[in-house]
Amino acid sequence: MTLWNGSYPFYPGANACFPFDTTRAVIITVFLSVLVMFITILPGIRGRRRLFWFLRLVLGLFVGAVLLTVQFTRDWETGWVQANTSYKSFSPVQVNADIGLHIGLAGVNVTLRGNPVNQINETINYNEHFPWNFGADYDRSYSEGLQKGLPSPILYVAEKFSTQSPCAVHRQYRIAGHYASLSLWLAFCTWLMSILLFSMSILLYGGHMLLLTATLILFSLLFFVTARNTPKCPIQFGPVSLRTGYGESFWLTLATGLLCLLLGLGIVTLNSVQPEKLKLIFSLDKSSEEEVRDKSCLPAEPSCSAQDVLMVPLGELCQVTATRL
């Protein structure tokens, strides 16, 4: 195999990376559009009902957006290391690069970014995804990476999570990610049920659904933690090693679960201790007063003027009638 412009010919150039996650962008755009749409009708709500309505709207959309977004994020567990490492197989050339590992529910991402990006007449900026969700073949993706001639650091990290690796972490991460994703989808369904119950003014059962949502979210975290705590093989690059910790998606999911837990407990507690305040938060007190006011003006209940007419003596009423005739 001969060199061509300083590199082996079977290595392709670095693929251009899209600047952001399109799935996350679509979900955020949809929920922000719904928020803006409802904010446009906010001036039509009077008094403090406007504040309570806005808070309920923001919290509800936030929970739904998080439950959908973390399904597709790839930063449940992340780690970075800067090292001098070989760039390609069968080549003594070394580069200084930042190597990142990003583990999600559906697979693993390995990032290789040169420091600086342009070295040895190449642009070193890779971000490769290796899926392990059900229906995907991790080993096949790894084999395709070998055939494409991906840089050695990416293949070295990806090999640690293959089924043939002596680390034996592929099965744990795959099953944990599957059950964590299933729990989050169930939590999204219970969140929709809670929104429906609150819109129907069934507050107690809506609070119970929020508690169920929080339980499912916390269970999803528990499933992922079981895989995270399994012993791992060291990912060594010379004198330094790549270590990982919980990422942004994990902590965001934990905060959302605790938020649903607090909201559910608050609704259930207020419903049993001070139901009037709970009705005030959900703007049910004023509607009941309007219903009473509407009932007081119905024709079945005579008004003050009607009662005055009935108090007129019958003789005088007949006399007035005879005079008119």
Side-chain angles (χ1 to χ4, degrees):
M1 186 67 66
T2 59
L3 288 174
W4 184 75
N5 287 340
S7 63
Y8 288 96
F10 58 83
Y11 285 104
N15 295 326
C17 298
F18 206 67
F20 54 84
D21 188 352
T22 54
T23 304
R24 186 186 305 184
V26 169
I27 294 173
I28 294 176
T29 302
V30 170
F31 277 86
L32 284 180
S33 301
V34 174
L35 179 62
V36 172
M37 180 181 65
F38 279 101
I39 286 179
T40 55
I41 66 175
L42 193 62
I45 302 176
R46 300 178 180 178
R48 54 186 173 182
R49 294 180 58 192
R50 180 185 304 172
L51 176 61
F52 291 138
W53 188 86
F54 180 74
L55 289 177
R56 296 199 309 269
L57 175 65
V58 171
L59 291 176
L61 291 178
F62 172 77
V63 173
V66 170
L67 291 178
L68 274 183
T69 303
V70 295
Q71 290 276 3
F72 308 101
T73 54
R74 299 166 184 174
D75 55 352
W76 280 70
E77 184 179 349
T78 60
W80 283 92
V81 67
Q82 183 178 355
N84 291 317
T85 179
S86 60
Y87 179 53
K88 298 176 180 179
S89 301
F90 313 111
S91 175
V93 178
Q94 290 195 344
V95 296
N96 184 274
D98 296 323
I99 306 165
L101 175 61
H102 315 277
I103 301 175
L105 300 182
V108 59
N109 270 58
V110 185
T111 303
L112 179 67
R113 186 180 305 149
N115 193 15
V117 176
N118 296 317
Q119 296 183 50
I120 58 171
N121 297 325
E122 290 191 23
T123 301
I124 305 175
N125 188 12
Y126 290 83
N127 184 20
E128 298 293 330
H129 179 63
F130 301 91
W132 58 43
N133 57 308
F134 287 94
D137 191 345
Y138 186 93
D139 291 339
R140 181 179 179 181
S141 300
Y142 177 71
S143 299
E144 291 176 353
L146 286 173
Q147 294 176 4
K148 290 191 300 183
L150 293 178
S152 296
I154 294 180
L155 296 175
Y156 169 68
V157 176
E159 189 272 336
K160 297 291 184 180
F161 294 89
S162 65
T163 57
Q164 305 300 326
S165 173
C167 298
V169 296
H170 175 83
R171 184 172 180 271
Q172 288 85 347
Y173 271 102
R174 183 170 180 259
I175 295 177
H178 174 71
Y179 283 106
S181 177
L182 179 61
S183 297
L184 289 174
W185 280 120
L186 291 175
F188 183 75
C189 294
T190 55
W191 168 79
L192 288 177
M193 288 295 298
S194 67
I195 296 297
L196 179 62
L197 291 172
F198 287 141
S199 64
M200 298 172 60
S201 302
I202 309 176
L203 305 183
L204 180 59
Y205 291 105
H208 289 163
M209 279 297 169
L210 272 182
L211 290 177
L212 182 57
T213 302
T215 303
L216 291 171
I217 293 174
L218 296 178
F219 266 111
S220 69
L221 296 174
L222 182 62
F223 288 136
F224 187 79
V225 168
T226 56
R228 170 70 173 79
N229 290 333
T230 55
K232 298 185 183 65
C233 295
I235 304 177
Q236 201 75 22
F237 293 95
V240 295
S241 59
L242 176 59
R243 302 182 183 276
T244 59
Y246 294 119
E248 296 179 1
S249 294
F250 180 88
W251 297 115
L252 182 60
T253 307
L254 177 61
T256 305
L258 294 178
L259 176 63
C260 291
L261 181 63
L262 292 177
L263 291 176
L265 288 175
I267 291 173
V268 173
T269 303
L270 282 178
N271 184 79
S272 59
V273 177
Q274 293 180 335
E276 296 301 326
K277 287 189 176 180
L278 183 61
K279 292 180 180 179
L280 175 64
I281 294 175
F282 284 88
S283 305
L284 298 179
D285 55 341
K286 190 170 183 179
S287 60
S288 61
E289 292 178 1
E290 291 175 355
E291 291 177 1
V292 173
R293 188 180 302 111
D294 293 339
K295 290 181 180 179
S296 64
C297 296
L298 290 176
E301 297 183 5
S303 61
C304 297
S305 58
Q307 292 178 359
D308 293 338
V309 172
L310 292 177
M311 290 176 64
V312 177
L314 183 60
E316 295 181 3
L317 182 60
C318 297
Q319 183 179 0
V320 172
T321 305
T323 304
R324 289 180 178 177
L325 291 175

PDB file of all heavy atoms in Angstrom, residues 267-283:
ATOM      1  N   ILE A 267     -50.590  18.788  44.779  1.00  0.00           N
ATOM      2  CA  ILE A 267     -51.995  18.768  44.366  1.00  0.00           C
ATOM      3  C   ILE A 267     -52.803  17.834  45.250  1.00  0.00           C
ATOM      4  O   ILE A 267     -53.908  18.168  45.698  1.00  0.00           O
ATOM      5  CB  ILE A 267     -52.100  18.362  42.887  1.00  0.00           C
ATOM      6  CG1 ILE A 267     -51.538  19.474  41.997  1.00  0.00           C
ATOM      7  CG2 ILE A 267     -53.540  18.059  42.503  1.00  0.00           C
ATOM      8  CD1 ILE A 267     -51.441  19.111  40.547  1.00  0.00           C
ATOM      9  N   VAL A 268     -52.277  16.647  45.534  1.00  0.00           N
ATOM     10  CA  VAL A 268     -52.998  15.694  46.382  1.00  0.00           C
ATOM     11  C   VAL A 268     -53.155  16.237  47.794  1.00  0.00           C
ATOM     12  O   VAL A 268     -54.221  16.102  48.420  1.00  0.00           O
ATOM     13  CB  VAL A 268     -52.272  14.335  46.375  1.00  0.00           C
ATOM     14  CG1 VAL A 268     -52.890  13.376  47.383  1.00  0.00           C
ATOM     15  CG2 VAL A 268     -52.298  13.716  44.986  1.00  0.00           C
ATOM     16  N   THR A 269     -52.107  16.885  48.322  1.00  0.00           N
ATOM     17  CA  THR A 269     -52.178  17.422  49.677  1.00  0.00           C
ATOM     18  C   THR A 269     -53.164  18.575  49.763  1.00  0.00           C
ATOM     19  O   THR A 269     -53.993  18.643  50.685  1.00  0.00           O
ATOM     20  CB  THR A 269     -50.782  17.885  50.125  1.00  0.00           C
ATOM     21  OG1 THR A 269     -49.859  16.790  50.027  1.00  0.00           O
ATOM     22  CG2 THR A 269     -50.822  18.386  51.556  1.00  0.00           C
ATOM     23  N   LEU A 270     -53.099  19.499  48.810  1.00  0.00           N
ATOM     24  CA  LEU A 270     -54.045  20.621  48.824  1.00  0.00           C
ATOM     25  C   LEU A 270     -55.487  20.157  48.637  1.00  0.00           C
ATOM     26  O   LEU A 270     -56.407  20.742  49.218  1.00  0.00           O
ATOM     27  CB  LEU A 270     -53.684  21.619  47.734  1.00  0.00           C
ATOM     28  CG  LEU A 270     -52.517  22.568  48.011  1.00  0.00           C
ATOM     29  CD1 LEU A 270     -52.254  23.453  46.806  1.00  0.00           C
ATOM     30  CD2 LEU A 270     -52.787  23.410  49.252  1.00  0.00           C
ATOM     31  N   ASN A 271     -55.677  19.117  47.867  1.00  0.00           N
ATOM     32  CA  ASN A 271     -57.043  18.626  47.656  1.00  0.00           C
ATOM     33  C   ASN A 271     -57.655  18.078  48.941  1.00  0.00           C
ATOM     34  O   ASN A 271     -58.875  18.162  49.132  1.00  0.00           O
ATOM     35  CB  ASN A 271     -57.032  17.540  46.580  1.00  0.00           C
ATOM     36  CG  ASN A 271     -58.420  17.061  46.232  1.00  0.00           C
ATOM     37  OD1 ASN A 271     -59.151  17.698  45.498  1.00  0.00           O
ATOM     38  ND2 ASN A 271     -58.805  15.895  46.757  1.00  0.00           N
ATOM     39  N   SER A 272     -56.830  17.545  49.836  1.00  0.00           N
ATOM     40  CA  SER A 272     -57.349  16.996  51.089  1.00  0.00           C
ATOM     41  C   SER A 272     -57.324  17.999  52.226  1.00  0.00           C
ATOM     42  O   SER A 272     -58.129  17.890  53.164  1.00  0.00           O
ATOM     43  CB  SER A 272     -56.523  15.764  51.490  1.00  0.00           C
ATOM     44  OG  SER A 272     -55.151  16.114  51.640  1.00  0.00           O
ATOM     45  N   VAL A 273     -56.439  18.987  52.169  1.00  0.00           N
ATOM     46  CA  VAL A 273     -56.312  19.941  53.282  1.00  0.00           C
ATOM     47  C   VAL A 273     -57.038  21.245  52.975  1.00  0.00           C
ATOM     48  O   VAL A 273     -57.874  21.706  53.768  1.00  0.00           O
ATOM     49  CB  VAL A 273     -54.816  20.209  53.578  1.00  0.00           C
ATOM     50  CG1 VAL A 273     -54.669  21.265  54.678  1.00  0.00           C
ATOM     51  CG2 VAL A 273     -54.114  18.920  53.991  1.00  0.00           C
ATOM     52  N   GLN A 274     -56.731  21.860  51.864  1.00  0.00           N
ATOM     53  CA  GLN A 274     -57.323  23.147  51.492  1.00  0.00           C
ATOM     54  C   GLN A 274     -57.784  23.097  50.035  1.00  0.00           C
ATOM     55  O   GLN A 274     -57.107  23.606  49.134  1.00  0.00           O
ATOM     56  CB  GLN A 274     -56.323  24.283  51.702  1.00  0.00           C
ATOM     57  CG  GLN A 274     -55.970  24.534  53.161  1.00  0.00           C
ATOM     58  CD  GLN A 274     -54.987  25.673  53.334  1.00  0.00           C
ATOM     59  OE1 GLN A 274     -54.217  25.983  52.432  1.00  0.00           O
ATOM     60  NE2 GLN A 274     -55.020  26.302  54.492  1.00  0.00           N
ATOM     61  N   PRO A 275     -58.905  22.462  49.771  1.00  0.00           N
ATOM     62  CA  PRO A 275     -59.369  22.352  48.376  1.00  0.00           C
ATOM     63  C   PRO A 275     -59.710  23.688  47.742  1.00  0.00           C
ATOM     64  O   PRO A 275     -59.651  23.822  46.517  1.00  0.00           O
ATOM     65  CB  PRO A 275     -60.610  21.458  48.500  1.00  0.00           C
ATOM     66  CG  PRO A 275     -61.051  21.598  49.917  1.00  0.00           C
ATOM     67  CD  PRO A 275     -59.808  21.804  50.724  1.00  0.00           C
ATOM     68  N   GLU A 276     -60.075  24.703  48.549  1.00  0.00           N
ATOM     69  CA  GLU A 276     -60.406  26.009  47.981  1.00  0.00           C
ATOM     70  C   GLU A 276     -59.189  26.656  47.323  1.00  0.00           C
ATOM     71  O   GLU A 276     -59.299  27.289  46.277  1.00  0.00           O
ATOM     72  CB  GLU A 276     -60.981  26.930  49.067  1.00  0.00           C
ATOM     73  CG  GLU A 276     -62.302  26.425  49.647  1.00  0.00           C
ATOM     74  CD  GLU A 276     -63.366  26.276  48.577  1.00  0.00           C
ATOM     75  OE1 GLU A 276     -63.361  27.088  47.619  1.00  0.00           O
ATOM     76  OE2 GLU A 276     -64.190  25.357  48.680  1.00  0.00           O
ATOM     77  N   LYS A 277     -58.015  26.506  47.952  1.00  0.00           N
ATOM     78  CA  LYS A 277     -56.804  27.065  47.357  1.00  0.00           C
ATOM     79  C   LYS A 277     -56.435  26.325  46.076  1.00  0.00           C
ATOM     80  O   LYS A 277     -55.932  26.929  45.121  1.00  0.00           O
ATOM     81  CB  LYS A 277     -55.647  26.995  48.354  1.00  0.00           C
ATOM     82  CG  LYS A 277     -55.762  27.987  49.494  1.00  0.00           C
ATOM     83  CD  LYS A 277     -54.497  28.011  50.310  1.00  0.00           C
ATOM     84  CE  LYS A 277     -54.574  29.084  51.410  1.00  0.00           C
ATOM     85  NZ  LYS A 277     -53.333  29.130  52.226  1.00  0.00           N
ATOM     86  N   LEU A 278     -56.683  25.031  46.065  1.00  0.00           N
ATOM     87  CA  LEU A 278     -56.413  24.275  44.849  1.00  0.00           C
ATOM     88  C   LEU A 278     -57.327  24.727  43.716  1.00  0.00           C
ATOM     89  O   LEU A 278     -56.889  24.876  42.566  1.00  0.00           O
ATOM     90  CB  LEU A 278     -56.596  22.781  45.116  1.00  0.00           C
ATOM     91  CG  LEU A 278     -56.269  21.842  43.955  1.00  0.00           C
ATOM     92  CD1 LEU A 278     -54.808  21.983  43.552  1.00  0.00           C
ATOM     93  CD2 LEU A 278     -56.574  20.403  44.337  1.00  0.00           C
ATOM     94  N   LYS A 279     -58.600  24.995  44.032  1.00  0.00           N
ATOM     95  CA  LYS A 279     -59.516  25.511  43.020  1.00  0.00           C
ATOM     96  C   LYS A 279     -59.103  26.897  42.554  1.00  0.00           C
ATOM     97  O   LYS A 279     -59.279  27.256  41.389  1.00  0.00           O
ATOM     98  CB  LYS A 279     -60.932  25.550  43.579  1.00  0.00           C
ATOM     99  CG  LYS A 279     -61.536  24.179  43.827  1.00  0.00           C
ATOM    100  CD  LYS A 279     -62.943  24.295  44.373  1.00  0.00           C
ATOM    101  CE  LYS A 279     -63.551  22.912  44.615  1.00  0.00           C
ATOM    102  NZ  LYS A 279     -64.925  23.021  45.162  1.00  0.00           N
ATOM    103  N   LEU A 280     -58.522  27.686  43.478  1.00  0.00           N
ATOM    104  CA  LEU A 280     -58.051  29.014  43.093  1.00  0.00           C
ATOM    105  C   LEU A 280     -56.899  28.909  42.101  1.00  0.00           C
ATOM    106  O   LEU A 280     -56.823  29.666  41.127  1.00  0.00           O
ATOM    107  CB  LEU A 280     -57.610  29.786  44.337  1.00  0.00           C
ATOM    108  CG  LEU A 280     -56.974  31.162  44.100  1.00  0.00           C
ATOM    109  CD1 LEU A 280     -57.983  32.102  43.465  1.00  0.00           C
ATOM    110  CD2 LEU A 280     -56.445  31.739  45.405  1.00  0.00           C
ATOM    111  N   ILE A 281     -55.977  27.949  42.318  1.00  0.00           N
ATOM    112  CA  ILE A 281     -54.837  27.774  41.421  1.00  0.00           C
ATOM    113  C   ILE A 281     -55.292  27.354  40.030  1.00  0.00           C
ATOM    114  O   ILE A 281     -54.753  27.796  39.010  1.00  0.00           O
ATOM    115  CB  ILE A 281     -53.854  26.743  42.014  1.00  0.00           C
ATOM    116  CG1 ILE A 281     -53.237  27.295  43.310  1.00  0.00           C
ATOM    117  CG2 ILE A 281     -52.766  26.390  41.015  1.00  0.00           C
ATOM    118  CD1 ILE A 281     -52.353  26.303  44.026  1.00  0.00           C
ATOM    119  N   PHE A 282     -56.326  26.510  39.969  1.00  0.00           N
ATOM    120  CA  PHE A 282     -56.831  26.032  38.682  1.00  0.00           C
ATOM    121  C   PHE A 282     -58.003  26.862  38.175  1.00  0.00           C
ATOM    122  O   PHE A 282     -58.724  26.442  37.272  1.00  0.00           O
ATOM    123  CB  PHE A 282     -57.246  24.561  38.797  1.00  0.00           C
ATOM    124  CG  PHE A 282     -56.079  23.620  38.811  1.00  0.00           C
ATOM    125  CD1 PHE A 282     -55.454  23.277  39.991  1.00  0.00           C
ATOM    126  CD2 PHE A 282     -55.586  23.095  37.621  1.00  0.00           C
ATOM    127  CE1 PHE A 282     -54.370  22.408  40.000  1.00  0.00           C
ATOM    128  CE2 PHE A 282     -54.506  22.227  37.618  1.00  0.00           C
ATOM    129  CZ  PHE A 282     -53.892  21.888  38.811  1.00  0.00           C
ATOM    130  N   SER A 283     -58.209  28.031  38.789  1.00  0.00           N
ATOM    131  CA  SER A 283     -59.199  29.012  38.321  1.00  0.00           C
ATOM    132  C   SER A 283     -60.615  28.427  38.293  1.00  0.00           C
ATOM    133  O   SER A 283     -61.380  28.659  37.364  1.00  0.00           O
ATOM    134  CB  SER A 283     -58.821  29.529  36.925  1.00  0.00           C
ATOM    135  OG  SER A 283     -57.509  30.042  36.916  1.00  0.00           O
TER     136      SER A 283
END
